[in-house]
Amino acid sequence: MIRYIRRAAAFCLLLLVALLANAARVQVFEADALDNNPANRRTTIARYSQPRGDIVVGDEPVTGSKDTHEQLAYERTYRHGPLYAPVTGYASQTYGTTLLENAEDSVLSGTASVLAPLPLWDDLTRDRQPGGDVVTTVRDAVQRAGYEGLAGRRGAVAALDPATGAVLALVSSPSYDPERLSGTGSSVTGAWAELNGAASQPMLNRAVRQTYPPGSTFKIVTAAAALGTGVVSDPDAATDTPSPYVLPGTSTTLPDEARGCEKASLAEAIRVSCNTVMAHLGVEVGLKDLVRTAEKFGFNEDDLTIPFRVARSNVDTDMSDDQLAQSSIGQFDTTATPLQMAMVAAAVANDGELRRPHLVDRITDHDGDTVRRQGSDSYRRAMEPETARQVQRMMVDVVENGTGTNAAIDGVRVGGKTGTAQHGVGNTGTPYAWFISWAQDPDSGRPAVAVAVVVEDASADRADISGGGSAAPIARAVMEAALAEPG
């Protein structure tokens, strides 16, 4: 009899071990798959059961949460939604998250490990902390200056602190109110269809996700390459460039919109924006060295994040000499985001050192204690300090005596470069107006701000003047705001 009891007990023990093993398999090894199963509503309900952390500009949150008293309780709200949409993105119960709402979702939703009281606490308890806050580097006055300057026109503004890489403004116009997408129901799906169907593409983040031909603003990169490789040793010396210039290997002539470009010096070519000189110098620099210089500024980078992804700015690595000539003046297949061109201006202003652009200053927990801080990191050395100082002098001349006088600020050292980018079939589209610039208060030992502005629907009588007429005044307003509100 005892023998049968022992066998029964052993069998029960075996069943118990099997039960525990299965429970462990489900709770440990299959937990993530079950949590992420679309049929599992518990995770979604838990996600919206508490207020979401906020995205902060300065000392003020630009987001919030409201209790809807429904199953998905808390819904995202936005203060000044269209102004900050290129920074925040949206957090939608229907369509997910984008931009900062996506990149810092674990912090905002309370699942980030840095918010837990102890290491691995949330993994062990399967708990969710109150949402943390994401404090940005954006300055309200600088953001507003760019937004109001565009005034609803299609275009973008990006502004950086050259000394730290902090993003001071990301503006995209026209914009949209992300709160329209926050909840569920027909109003949200209707808003989604309307916004995605709009010809003006208000949900496109033109500052970081749209690339444009940079036009003559790219001549700053070409100038840095010409000086850095020794093709030009004296920027004030005459060149041997004819005007018009016949593109190598073709019978196509490249004209100049500006006067006095024949045999003009590099400095004069930048001041009045001579296409011929810069195209000729680009060919003399050569494909390899021009591409290498552009990549030092951040071109051809696939993995740049701020923390959300920035679209790749492109300079082709395989071109004929005539294509290289066109690329050297920001045409052919050369494209750039406004943020990329702000990085070009920032590198020049910061004596050739390009700091890594970043949008987040720090992460705080629900009690306001800092749990993570973003430092200032070096990204690339774009050029040697002496080269940078030569380019600075030429950009200052553009603003004081050249095509960029509309960006001048009394008592402030300002450098800039205008640009007009042709596009469309046969260049039939309205040219994009560009202006890149930087400003340094004479009382400061470091540059205050670097800016890039692009206006898609600009109009002008001649190339390179539209950048000075349409984009430069916006850049000036952004620089004035940054100088008036120092970090």
Side-chain angles (χ1 to χ4, degrees):
M1 184 68 179
I2 294 177
R3 182 176 56 186
Y4 293 114
I5 293 174
R6 288 177 178 170
R7 290 178 179 174
F11 182 68
C12 290
L13 179 61
L14 181 63
L15 291 176
L16 179 61
V17 170
L19 181 62
L20 292 174
N22 187 61
R25 177 182 62 82
V26 171
Q27 294 182 20
V28 177
F29 298 104
E30 295 187 5
D32 290 340
L34 292 171
D35 283 344
N36 297 325
N37 191 311
N40 181 11
R41 291 276 292 171
R42 290 175 181 267
T43 302
T44 304
I45 293 169
R47 176 181 176 84
Y48 298 107
S49 65
Q50 64 180 27
R52 191 169 172 83
D54 284 319
I55 296 172
V56 179
V57 173
D59 296 325
E60 298 294 329
V62 296
T63 59
S65 297
K66 67 178 180 182
D67 190 352
T68 63
H69 303 290
E70 297 178 359
Q71 189 178 55
L72 304 182
Y74 283 92
E75 192 174 290
R76 196 55 148 168
T77 61
Y78 294 89
R79 301 171 187 175
H80 318 297
L83 174 64
Y84 285 108
V87 175
T88 63
Y90 59 76
S92 171
Q93 294 175 348
T94 305
Y95 297 108
T97 56
T98 58
L99 302 182
L100 265 189
E101 293 278 27
N102 176 262
E104 299 292 353
D105 181 67
S106 63
V107 170
L108 298 166
S109 63
T111 61
S113 59
V114 294
L115 301 175
L118 294 171
L120 303 178
W121 178 265
D122 290 350
D123 292 334
L124 295 172
T125 63
R126 311 287 292 173
D127 201 2
R128 181 186 295 264
Q129 301 299 317
D133 291 343
V134 177
V135 182
T136 71
T137 58
V138 172
R139 298 186 200 164
D140 181 76
V142 182
Q143 182 81 6
R144 288 181 183 276
Y147 184 76
E148 292 169 2
L150 284 171
R153 290 177 292 175
R154 297 189 197 187
V157 176
L160 296 169
D161 181 337
T164 67
V167 176
L168 306 181
L170 281 183
V171 178
S172 180
S173 178
S175 189
Y176 71 105
D177 186 356
E179 191 167 331
R180 297 182 64 193
L181 304 175
S182 292
T184 59
S186 59
S187 63
V188 171
T189 56
W192 178 264
E194 174 194 328
L195 292 170
N196 279 282
S200 60
Q201 296 180 284
M203 293 178 69
L204 172 63
N205 191 336
R206 290 171 164 86
V208 295
R209 296 283 174 83
Q210 178 68 27
T211 59
Y212 303 87
S216 292
T217 59
F218 190 79
K219 292 172 182 175
I220 297 302
V221 177
T222 304
L227 291 166
T229 58
V231 168
V232 173
S233 56
D234 180 1
D236 296 311
T239 65
D240 60 354
T241 310
S243 181
Y245 170 65
V246 179
L247 296 177
T250 76
S251 58
T252 302
T253 57
L254 179 68
D256 279 306
E257 295 285 347
R259 295 180 179 179
C261 287
E262 185 170 2
K263 297 185 178 180
S265 67
L266 172 60
E268 180 68 6
I270 293 295
R271 185 179 72 83
V272 299
S273 204
C274 296
N275 288 335
T276 53
V277 173
M278 301 311 298
H280 184 204
L281 288 178
V283 173
E284 290 192 327
V285 166
L287 176 63
K288 182 178 178 180
D289 285 329
L290 184 70
V291 170
R292 181 186 293 117
T293 301
E295 289 178 347
K296 289 179 180 179
F297 283 98
F299 282 83
N300 294 345
E301 173 62 69
D302 292 313
D303 301 319
L304 179 61
T305 59
I306 62 170
F308 49 78
R309 186 185 64 83
V310 177
R312 181 183 192 268
S313 296
N314 181 73
V315 174
D316 279 3
T317 58
D318 184 11
M319 291 183 282
S320 59
D321 280 351
D322 62 309
Q323 294 167 340
L324 176 60
Q326 295 174 68
S327 290
S328 300
I329 59 172
Q331 295 290 165
F332 186 55
D333 287 339
T334 300
T335 58
T337 63
L339 180 64
Q340 172 62 73
M341 295 314 298
M343 291 164 63
V344 170
V348 173
N350 199 40
D351 289 342
E353 182 184 5
L354 178 60
R355 308 297 289 182
R356 183 177 294 277
H358 61 278
L359 185 57
V360 176
D361 177 61
R362 64 189 184 276
I363 301 299
T364 64
D365 62 18
H366 184 64
D367 296 323
D369 296 326
T370 298
V371 296
R372 189 179 82 208
R373 184 176 289 275
Q374 174 68 50
S376 174
D377 299 325
S378 180
Y379 184 49
R380 305 268 172 83
R381 164 125 330 249
M383 68 194 102
E384 293 303 312
E386 178 57 30
T387 300
R389 285 189 282 271
Q390 289 176 311
V391 179
Q392 287 173 16
R393 179 174 64 84
M394 290 186 284
M395 292 183 73
V396 169
D397 197 30
V398 169
V399 173
E400 293 182 350
N401 305 298
T403 58
T405 55
N406 281 336
I409 303 172
D410 289 342
V412 177
R413 186 171 184 247
V414 177
K417 182 68 190 80
T418 54
T420 300
Q422 307 294 328
H423 70 104
V425 178
N427 293 331
T428 57
T430 302
Y432 299 136
W434 278 93
F435 194 75
I436 63 172
S437 60
W438 49 266
Q440 180 174 342
D441 192 303
D443 296 330
S444 173
R446 70 178 205 178
V449 62
V451 182
V453 178
V454 62
V455 182
E456 293 185 22
D457 52 359
S459 59
D461 293 333
R462 54 147 286 193
D464 296 310
I465 291 298
S466 65
S470 299
I474 302 172
R476 182 185 64 226
V478 172
M479 290 186 290
E480 287 175 332
L483 291 163
E485 189 184 83

